[in-house]
Amino acid sequence: MEYKKELQRLIVDIKTNHLPSVSIDCVIFGFHQGQLKVLLLRWKNTDDWCLPGGRIRKDENMDAAAHRSLRERTGLHEIFLQQFHTFGDINRYRHYSQSETMAKLGLPEDVAREVISRDISVGYYALVEFANVVPTPDLLTDECRWWDVQQIPALLFDHNEMITLALKTLRRQLSYQPIGYNLLPEKFTMPDLQQLYETILGESMDRRNFQKRMLSYGILERLDERKTGGAHKSPYLYRFDKEKYEKALETESLFTA
Amino acid sequence: MEYKKELQRLIVDIKTNHLPSVSIDCVIFGFHQGQLKVLLLRWKNTDDWCLPGGRIRKDENMDAAAHRSLRERTGLHEIFLQQFHTFGDINRYRHYSQSETMAKLGLPEDVAREVISRDISVGYYALVEFANVVPTPDLLTDECRWWDVQQIPALLFDHNEMITLALKTLRRQLSYQPIGYNLLPEKFTMPDLQQLYETILGESMDRRNFQKRMLSYGILERLDERKTGGAHKSPYLYRFDKEKYEKALETESLFTA
DNA sequence: AACATAGTGTGTATCGGATACACATTGAAT
DNA sequence: ATTCAATGTGTATCCGATACACACTATGTT
């Protein structure tokens, strides 16, 4: 049983090199074909999905641990990552009870105890460029793939709640910080950006007013290129002015609605 | 050495009944005489101050642990308490290095290791009614008292940063949620409420516009009483409509500026 | 080659909340 | 009785947000 050996090695590594009682969970948002996506993992030999997560090494900052987790699941290095809530209830089982969950995971008793002990879990959400992601499962999971936010199944633990809260936080963030730098390709059209906003907020907006508002923020740079290929008038391409974008992120002062 | 025995008992209790690597810190805001206050603790036999904190029992929800901490320091039971950030850097020493901090705390080596081991710390902030608080130090501290937010000294660990971030979060919260229920006495005047807002936000506002805005939220009830005693026209007393106030807290939808 | 189509670029009228501002009133102090 | 400082209330104005219309163009169609 090579796999079981690997598992044991993992447990030992966790016990010796990582902080006990604390874990990290990541809600990784991507944007593709007008849909907001979340990256989920499927547990080995089951049909059950959950959020990617990880633990914090004893010699590692917590944010660094979250970045590492994300790197391992997506292959991406520079990502927008933000802590949104820390989950600390004793009972974090929702759709399945603790014993059901244990059974589903199908792990040896001692391993299971380690993997799903009572943890304080720090939730992060990430915004990534869909096209650049290489979804990669880990030792405990068979599959890693994108799910449409609207079609997420009943997840293990309290992970559905985590996604809901992450989305809520993301929506609020939209009202005082710019967004899109990590979700869109470098060059994009105004309709692309609008579609992103509409998808996240779940509502449609007036095309003309949206453009005025975005431009008023002063973080966009219109290029002399246009996007061709569509059977219509070709739209201008824009890109973010990184410097002003970062400044807006910090000050949080530019935005209102 | 009765004290040392008590300390040892504390350490054992922490080790056996509480989660390792996680702690809680509380920024407790009060409001008095037009000033925003924070409750701080002074370490035994030192001049060094820090935030009240605590640990999470193995059989206790994290929020419950925070409430318990607050109850122990203030005597208050029903308080507004909100998680605002989790601090996870390895090095959380700021004004004093780790060894300086160790020295300052003057604890036996083994005790110190337990008390200031590397922790992930979940930060909460609380809003309490100043007059009802009975500041109470704990086993490790000599003194518990209010400090003016503007005059907080260099604290142990990264606690100054915690206060700064808590205040920042509180200010932002003011833009989408009502505030005051836990900071003001049951009956208060419009100028009282305005002073609270001005103190938190650090800016002055127009008296008439402020009143219009507050009343437009529909969470205030004007009483038939007036406050007498001031050498001026006596202002009306108001109180919050608890039900509508709670609803506004939940929806977060009523407020804008 | 001319036309139809659907999406894009841009400008203007209007509404509504936020802001600026003024005058009458009152309770205590003198 | 008078004075003073703070309170109660109303109105004009500003500005961003919203609603809305027409011209333009790259492709697909005939």
Side-chain angles (χ1 to χ4, degrees), chain A residues 229-255:
Chain A
H232 316 292
K233 183 171 182 177
S234 45
Y236 282 107
L237 287 171
Y238 292 82
R239 75 169 155 227
F240 288 108
D241 180 322
K242 184 78 187 293
E243 204 172 312
K244 291 176 183 167
Y245 187 96
E246 296 288 349
K247 194 172 173 187
L249 269 185
E250 280 168 32
T251 61
E252 302 187 355
S253 59
L254 295 183
F255 297 70

Side-chain angles (χ1 to χ4, degrees), chain B residues 50-62:
Chain B
C50 68
L51 289 172
R55 304 198 75 91
I56 305 162
R57 293 178 55 92
K58 287 178 179 170
D59 59 358
E60 177 183 55
N61 285 344
M62 183 173 70

Side-chain angles (χ1 to χ4, degrees), chain B residues 231-244:
Chain B
H232 315 293
K233 182 170 182 176
S234 46
Y236 282 108
L237 287 171
Y238 292 82
R239 74 169 156 227
F240 288 108
D241 180 324
K242 184 78 186 292
E243 203 173 313
K244 291 177 184 166

Side-chain angles (χ1 to χ4, degrees), chain B residues 79-95:
Chain B
I79 31 193
F80 178 83
L81 187 60
Q82 186 152 310
Q83 187 193 124
F84 69 95
H85 190 77
T86 297
F87 299 82
D89 280 1
I90 298 178
N91 181 9
R92 308 251 312 277
Y93 299 91
R94 293 295 181 272
H95 308 293

